[in-house]
Structures are given as C-alpha cells and as structure tokens.
Amino acid sequence: MAAPETQRWTYRQLVQPIPPTPNLSTISSTPATPPCPTCRHLLLQDRSSIHGKTIPIEEFHITDTFPDFPILQAGCDLCRFLRTAIRSAWGNTGTHPMLESGVAPVVEDDDSHETLFTAPWDGRVKVHSARFRFAPFGGSFQGQQKFAWDEVAGSLEQGDGVVVGLTVEFGPASVPLGEEGEELVGELGTELRFKLFDSIDIESPVSASRRNLPSDSTLSERNVDLIKGWINGCAANHGNACQGDARWTPTRLLALDPLRLMETASIAAEDDHRYAALSYTRGNDWPDTAVQTSSENLDDRKEGIDLADLPRAFRDAIAVCQALGIRYLWIDALCILDDTEDWKREVVMMHKTFGHSEVTIAATSATSPQSSFLARNISAISAAKIGDDKRHVIFTPQEHETSGMRTSDVDGSPWNRDGWTLVERMLSARVIHFAKNKIYFECRRALRSEENDAESATPGPSISFWPRVEEQAADAEQYRPFLYQQWKAFLAQYTSRQLRRQAADKFLPVRAVAELMAAAINDEYLESAGMWRDDLAAQLLWYANNDSDGIRRMTRTRQAPTWSWIHCKAKIGFVRGTTDATLPPSLTKQRFRVADVLEPRTLSLYGYNRGISEIRPVDTAGDAWLAEMRKEYPWDLLVSGGNGDESQCVAHGALDDPDETMSAHTQLVYLHVTDEVYPTGLILARDPGLGPAWRRIGVATIFDLGDLIMDPPFQPDSFDQVFVE
C-alpha cells in the first residue's frame, strides 16, 4: 500500500516512539488468537529438520506504511504487537536518534546524517527476515557456554531442544535518494528481538524439559518449591562435589527468629546448623558504618536487630531464608566485626563460610546493598499470543539475544563485575541467583532456572566454581598441574573485576582461595606475592593486558615484590601462546630454575641473561600489519652492536608500566625463563647505586613468528644467578 500522494514524509519522522502495552502477567490465561496468513509461518510447524542455530522463515514479509501501519493494525495480535514494537524501537531514546535506539547507519561523516534524515520518503516500511533461535538441551545458542553443535547433530535432527527467540528485521522499503536521485549513504534498518515460549515446550510431557513462564512474584509458591527442589536434589544426588560440612558454622550468624546476632558456639550440637550466605555487590559508598557490626554495638545486636534498620538487600535475603525454612544467615557486614584482626581472620575463612553453607543467596540484580533483588514487575513486559486450540506461541520483547538468559542476567550483571563476588561464587557449595525477573540455580553438577531453559534439561558442571579435590584424581601429583592452571585463570578473572575495598583488604579473598587450594596440594603459598613456590617459573610470566585502563605501579614497600602480579594494578594474564622454536643445542644443557625465595620479597634465580642497551617502542606508522603483529609486544629490546656497529634487536617486550621513567644510568637485562611459551622471559632493571637486586619491569619474547630474533641470543657462559625483588 503506497502512501497518499499528498502526504510527504522524511526519514527523520521514523523516530516517534509509542510505549509498549504491558501484559505478560496475564498472558498465560489469555486465549490465543488466530494468526494472520503471514504470521502463521511463525508457529514453526516443523521442528524436526533443525540443523543450525537459527531457522529462517522465508515466507514472512510485510510491507506497510508509516506512521499508522494500517496493515499491521488490521492484522492479528502479533501484527499489532510488531507495530507497537517497531514504533518503540525506532524511537529517539537518546541524544542521537540513530545510534542510541539500535538503528546503526554506516555514514561517511556527520553531514550524512542530516542529508539522510531530510531525504524525501514514501513512508513504506518492510518487515522481513524472520528467523527463530534454537537451543538444544544442555547448551546455549551462539556458542554460549562452549556448546559444541556438531556433537549433538542427532539431537538436533530430532528437534531435541527449545525455540528460545525470534529475530525480525525491519526498515524502509525503498533506498533513500538524494536531490539528484543518488543513493544516500546510510542504513535505517534494524532488528526486533523476541523471547519465545512455544506451547510444545510449555506443555512438554517430560517435566525436566517443560518451560515455565516467569512468576509475578519472585518468592511465589512455585518458585519456592523450585528452589527447595534444586537444593534437595543437589544434596541428595551430587555427593561430595557439592556437599559442605553441615556441622561447621562461621563465628557469628544472624538468627532470624527472633532477628539477632549470635555466636555460633552457643548452638547446640543436635540443633539444625544449616545457614545461607549472602553474596552482594558492595557499591561505591560501602561499607556503611551504621550497618557494620563493631565491638561497640555487638552486645546490642545480640539482644536484637530491627529489620527496618537493615539495607534492602539484607532484608530480601532474610525473606528468602524464611521462605526456604533456613534459620540462620551469614552477611559479612553483620557477622564480621569492624575490626582489622577480626575482619582478616573471617575473610580468609571464606572458603569455609561459603563452601559449607546450605546455599549462597546471590543478590545478582542488586547494584548495592540498598537495592532490592526480589522486586519484579512482570506486568510491565508486553506480550502477544497466537495459535489455536492445539498449539500457541507467546512472544515478549528482548533487548538482545541473550537477554533473559544466564549469560546476560548473571554473567553480565553488575554483581558479576565485583572481585569479591567472584570469590564468593567460586567457593560456594551451590548458588541461587536472583536476577532481573528470573531465578537461576548453579552448582558443580547442574544448572537450573525458573523458566527451565534448555540448559536445565541436561546436567552439566558449572565452570564458575573452584574444583573440589574429590572430583580430581586420587593422587595429588596428578591434579596439581590442573589446579595451578585454575589458579592462573582465577587471577586473570580477579584482576579484571572491580575491587572497591581498601588496598590492604583487596587480596584477602585471594588468600581464601589459596587456603582451599593448599588443602589439596603439597606446596607453599607465598602470601606477599600471591603465587605458589613450585609453580613460580610459570607464574612469574604474568603480563598486564593491553586493554587495562590506567595501569599504575603500586608502592613496592607497601604491597608486593615487583615480580608479583600484585605489584601491578592492572588486569593480568598468563601465556599468550606456544613457541615453535628452541634454543641452540649449546644453550639447552642448563635450564631456568628458582634457587630460593629469600623472605620477604627476594628471589634467587638462575638463567640465561643478556644485557639490554635500550628499550625502544616499535615504529608502526603506516603499517597496519606490523601494528597488529606487535600489539602484544610493542617494544624492541636492543643490544649494543659494539665497535660502533648499529644496535640490534634481541627480543620483543611488553612493559608493566609504559610510563615508568628510568635514568640513563639504569641497567637493563633480559632473563630467559622458557622457550616453550610466549612470553619467554623477564625484563629486569636496577640502579647500581641502590644494591645488587633487580626489579621486574616487564616480559619479553626472544622469538618472532617462531624464529629467534637474534641467533644466538645468549652466550653459553651467560647462565648466571640473578636476584629479583
């Protein structure tokens, strides 16, 4: 249908939003309406031939006219739902109508925006390219949670999974033309995404794979029964993998009836010791001294606590415990005294506090202790339902393809960006996540959710937990290398998180993980460095990620030796890759070794080394390929050519702090650690007037694309002792 000849539009008028109509809370009791001939294709009659992540619906395409969209308005309920969604999605939700509302034009310059927006337009809009998103049981679409599609081809052929979403594209039916008829640069099309509930899944005869619509109330009777079932099922079926010690309790707990703080030594041995632990993000203004228990208010809190005096997240956690029938609750701000020694002692015990709790309550949707994580308003979410007496499909809007899924609701939440919550999650026996409008459960053996997503149908371990020794080989020497890898992966995650507490407290959670690991391996944990003695050769080769913001050096005397990752305030990583070359045979008779750790911060190392005359940034101007190749090691380590010869590059380096200044008298050396991985060694510096010890300033590699940069890089007699502090 063409726009009236008398009516003239411009593309700027696309941005006129209409708010969606909220009705998800009543959609389950609302009868399905018959789809129009076009939308009937969205019932997906045949799910038996699914062979990929998406299912295109070629027959779905509608052309309508702006701004009233009469064809959609006169169509079925889904047509009208699409009309409202298009008007809302194309609306100006920010300062720039195209970039802030999901409309992403490709333009050459800012003037193109104005030219594109003011071009005449006939008002025709096409809605097309509908495609379903499918998730097989036990995995997620789009590669989430490392799901291997080729391994379940047989399941896919049987339609063994759920349809989780629908994507529809829309945009002008004609190309914008300029005054002289030329096609204008820019794309005004965008996508609508919907979450789906297919009656095939909702009414599945197999209860384990039956999907649920979300409840209006977070602690509805159905949800409470679900949570209890998840906890009881885990306790009964997962053995030592998820089981804590029911007899162990923290020093203090919050008793809920009546509400008071109590010393756990007073709990009788025959009483129920079960407790829950709260994990929450602290926010920028935390800790709140009015909330924190201190030696001054401890006795008063043992007498009783007024619920109204507690932050909203704490009150919500109490409500969860009461609904689940758990008598005690642990919250750090209430159960640990605002005292340095008590705080340190209790935080180091986090592996027991969270590991032995009945369940960890994660305030996943709360942005601070003052935020509620139980609040939800399902009635504010619009929905449409089409079908007949035999089958129906429910559609609700989705911001992006992972909205309303674990990868977004949990892993992408503010709660998950906190370094403390990372540790609390890892050390827990099992976790209940209270996300936005949805509850998730995870343990070492299973993933579950309120809506019973596809991931819930097949048990599978969660990679978010620290592995327990009982799950590994009986011989400690067999699982020790695995735990060292886990440790380095943990440090990479931890240093990428927000750490809001005082500097002295930031690394206490790391020690809590170390306490758990120490029980499984026969090794010494170097607390001042955050490393393990027997794995030092590998752990010394940490590097500061290039994407770290504001890399700054910490004061060495206050924090850690320079060879420790703690010394560098940045996101760190380990091992960028493996090398393809080896040292010449004359240099392989002796290997790098850690001779001793001289407390509190000095290492005695033996290895091949080479004096460096200069560290110079590589010149990549005008060479995009070189810039990409040298992105990880953007510095050249030069050695003097001697006899007036030009200096030569012996290694490519990455500095911990590129802004660190060194005097002209500073000595530099490269110390070789390994020829098996990148980076291969350490960059060290020292001022001869300040003592014999070197300090670490970065890492480097002596290989370039598998070949030695300088052959040979060392002399056979350059294997020597080096002290680093």
Side-chain angles (χ1 to χ4, degrees):
M1 179 184 298
E5 298 244 345
T6 56
Q7 179 66 65
R8 296 286 291 175
W9 302 103
T10 66
Y11 288 96
R12 188 185 300 280
Q13 289 162 301
L14 289 172
V15 289
Q16 296 180 5
I18 295 178
T21 304
N23 60 354
L24 180 59
S25 64
T26 59
I27 198 68
S28 60
S29 59
T30 301
T33 60
C36 66
T38 301
C39 290
R40 66 181 174 82
H41 299 293
L42 300 183
L43 286 174
L44 192 60
Q45 301 295 337
D46 182 12
R47 305 201 320 181
S48 63
S49 59
I50 299 172
H51 295 281
K53 304 166 190 165
T54 61
I55 313 161
I57 308 300
E58 303 293 344
E59 300 85 355
F60 180 84
H61 46 81
I62 301 171
T63 301
D64 208 343
T65 52
F66 177 90
D68 293 328
F69 298 99
I71 294 176
L72 289 174
Q73 188 162 9
C76 64
D77 278 2
L78 181 56
C79 286
R80 290 186 284 274
F81 187 61
L82 286 170
R83 173 183 181 271
T84 302
I86 290 173
R87 292 288 300 272
S88 179
W90 238 335
N92 182 2
T93 59
T95 57
H96 195 296
M98 301 168 78
L99 300 181
E100 298 294 332
S101 63
V103 183
V106 181
V107 295
E108 295 178 349
D109 52 55
D110 292 338
D111 292 340
S112 297
H113 293 156
E114 190 64 25
T115 303
L116 182 65
F117 272 5
T118 57
W121 172 44
D122 61 8
R124 293 190 306 137
V125 177
K126 60 179 178 181
V127 188
H128 61 103
S129 299
R131 56 190 183 276
F132 285 98
R133 302 191 304 278
F134 181 86
F137 291 148
S140 302
F141 63 89
Q142 302 297 341
Q144 300 292 340
Q145 297 185 358
K146 302 179 181 178
F147 187 79
W149 289 87
D150 54 351
E151 295 179 1
V152 291
S155 297
L156 289 174
E157 290 174 1
Q158 300 300 318
D160 191 7
V162 298
V163 177
V164 295
L166 172 73
T167 300
V168 175
E169 296 183 22
F170 67 95
S174 56
V175 178
L177 301 178
E179 294 180 357
E180 299 180 1
E182 76 279 10
E183 293 187 3
L184 297 177
V185 177
E187 175 58 59
L188 284 164
T190 188
E191 291 183 339
L192 289 175
R193 298 181 182 89
F194 300 94
K195 192 173 182 179
L196 256 65
F197 295 87
D198 194 328
S199 61
I200 290 179
D201 305 318
I202 294 176
E203 300 168 359
S204 171
V206 181
S207 59
S209 60
R210 188 180 304 135
R211 291 196 75 195
N212 304 315
L213 288 168
S215 293
D216 280 340
S217 170
T218 303
L219 293 180
S220 66
E221 182 178 353
R222 188 197 74 182
N223 282 353
V224 170
D225 288 343
L226 277 176
I227 297 172
K228 289 180 178 179
W230 294 334
I231 295 173
N232 294 337
C234 175
N237 301 318
H238 298 167
N240 291 333
C242 303
Q243 201 70 351
D245 185 350
R247 298 167 299 178
W248 189 91
T249 54
T251 304
R252 304 173 194 88
L253 285 172
L254 194 65
L256 306 185
D257 187 21
L259 187 61
R260 70 193 189 283
L261 194 64
M262 65 179 299
E263 304 283 346
T264 56
S266 63
I267 301 178
E270 65 274 11
D271 287 352
D272 184 358
H273 285 64
R274 291 181 308 145
Y275 67 94
L278 176 64
S279 176
Y280 61 99
T281 184
R282 277 69 180 174
N284 293 321
D285 299 326
W286 197 257
D288 185 344
T289 55
V291 175
Q292 183 75 49
T293 297
S294 65
S295 55
E296 286 75 21
N297 62 19
L298 176 61
D299 290 339
D300 290 340
R301 290 190 168 182
K302 287 181 179 180
E303 294 296 322
I305 298 175
D306 189 341
L307 183 65
D309 291 339
L310 298 180
R312 184 61 185 271
F314 293 8
R315 285 181 274 158
D316 283 358
I318 291 171
V320 172
C321 287
Q322 291 172 332
L324 297 178
I326 298 175
R327 298 174 58 187
Y328 303 107
L329 174 63
W330 186 89
I331 303 176
D332 59 354
L334 301 180
C335 299
I336 302 178
L337 298 183
D338 187 14
D339 170 86
T340 301
E341 292 307 314
D342 192 73
W343 179 259
K344 289 182 178 180
R345 181 175 58 253
E346 294 297 318
V347 170
V348 170
M349 297 296 290
M350 284 171 59
H351 64 293
K352 291 186 175 181
T353 300
F354 286 89
H356 297 322
S357 67
E358 178 77 353
V359 67
T360 293
I361 299 170
T364 312
S365 62
T367 57
S368 73
Q370 286 73 30
S371 304
S372 171
F373 61 83
L374 294 181
R376 63 169 60 179
N377 188 5
I378 302 300
S379 62
I381 303 174
S382 57
K385 185 177 184 180
I386 61 170
D388 50 35
D389 293 338
K390 297 181 179 179
R391 177 141 178 240
H392 65 265
V393 177
I394 295 172
F395 301 82
T396 66
Q398 206 174 15
E399 292 181 11
H400 51 81
E401 290 186 1
T402 60
S403 294
M405 300 183 65
R406 186 182 299 268
T407 50
S408 176
D409 292 354
V410 176
D411 297 336
S413 67
W415 172 88
N416 200 48
R417 293 194 288 269
D418 190 301
W420 285 70
T421 59
L422 168 69
V423 175
E424 292 163 355
R425 183 182 190 182
M426 288 177 59
L427 299 178
S428 295
R430 54 187 73 93
V431 182
I432 298 291
H433 291 282
F434 290 89
K436 182 180 179 181
N437 292 327
K438 192 171 178 180
I439 300 173
Y440 297 88
F441 170 86
E442 63 182 7
C443 66
R444 288 174 176 80
R445 287 285 188 262
L447 300 172
R448 300 285 184 261
S449 78
E450 175 182 345
E451 295 175 7
N452 212 19
D453 301 309
E455 65 175 16
S456 300
T458 302
S462 170
I463 61 174
S464 302
F465 292 86
W466 186 262
R468 289 197 169 176
V469 173
E470 291 84 354
E471 295 184 276
Q472 311 304 324
D475 185 356
E477 293 304 313
Q478 294 186 32
Y479 61 79
R480 179 195 276 214
F482 168 73
L483 289 179
Y484 285 145
Q485 291 299 324
Q486 289 291 114
W487 178 260
K488 287 177 281 194
F490 157 62
L491 293 182
Q493 287 192 66
Y494 186 77
T495 55
S496 70
R497 305 296 180 94
Q498 297 171 350
L499 302 171
R500 295 190 176 98
R501 292 189 182 275
Q502 296 298 318
D505 294 338
K506 287 180 179 178
F507 303 104
L508 286 176
V510 176
R511 187 181 163 193
V513 179
E515 289 284 332
L516 183 60
M517 183 169 167
I521 63 173
N522 182 24
D523 196 2
E524 178 186 358
Y525 177 63
L526 306 177
E527 184 176 349
S528 64
M531 297 178 174
W532 296 91
R533 186 181 185 116
D534 289 352
D535 195 44
L536 270 178
Q539 295 184 27
L540 284 173
L541 294 178
W542 57 268
Y543 57 86
N545 269 337
N546 292 337
D547 60 355
S548 297
D549 294 328
I551 297 175
R552 295 185 298 276
R553 306 293 292 185
M554 291 186 177
T555 304
R556 181 169 40 149
T557 55
R558 290 180 52 200
Q559 283 296 326
T562 63
W563 45 270
S564 166
W565 58 271
I566 300 177
H567 186 71
C568 188
K569 187 178 181 182
K571 177 182 178 181
I572 67 162
F574 294 88
V575 184
R576 286 189 173 100
T578 57
T579 63
D580 297 324
T582 59
L583 292 177
S586 61
L587 300 176
T588 58
K589 296 178 182 179
Q590 300 186 83
R591 294 289 184 181
F592 172 87
R593 70 180 188 274
V594 179
D596 203 356
V597 180
L598 307 174
E599 291 296 342
R601 62 180 68 256
T602 303
L603 287 182
S604 172
L605 309 175
Y606 281 90
Y608 287 104
N609 58 84
R610 182 73 180 264
I612 304 300
S613 61
E614 182 184 358
I615 299 178
R616 181 187 301 168
V618 63
D619 182 7
T620 60
D623 192 333
W625 181 86
L626 181 61
E628 179 63 26
M629 294 300 297
R630 295 297 302 276
K631 181 171 59 176
E632 294 181 340
Y633 300 99
W635 299 84
D636 284 339
L637 276 58
L638 305 179
V639 296
S640 175
N643 298 322
D645 293 340
E646 186 177 344
S647 297
Q648 294 179 284
C649 180
V650 69
H652 297 156
L655 299 180
D656 299 338
D657 181 8
D659 296 328
E660 182 179 24
T661 58
M662 294 173 289
S663 72
H665 302 291
T666 300
Q667 292 183 341
L668 301 168
V669 70
Y670 166 81
L671 177 65
H672 189 65
V673 176
T674 178
D675 54 352
E676 297 175 352
V677 298
Y678 295 106
T680 59
L682 303 176
I683 308 173
L684 306 176
R686 75 173 178 183
D687 187 330
L690 297 181
W694 298 79
R695 69 181 187 276
R696 172 197 154 122
I697 62 172
V699 291
T701 176
I702 59 172
F703 299 112
D704 183 18
L705 298 179
D707 297 321
L708 283 167
I709 299 172
M710 177 185 288
D711 192 2
F714 316 108
Q715 296 300 318
D717 62 354
S718 66
F719 192 90
D720 201 358
Q721 184 179 24
V722 177
F723 293 98
V724 185
E725 65 176 21

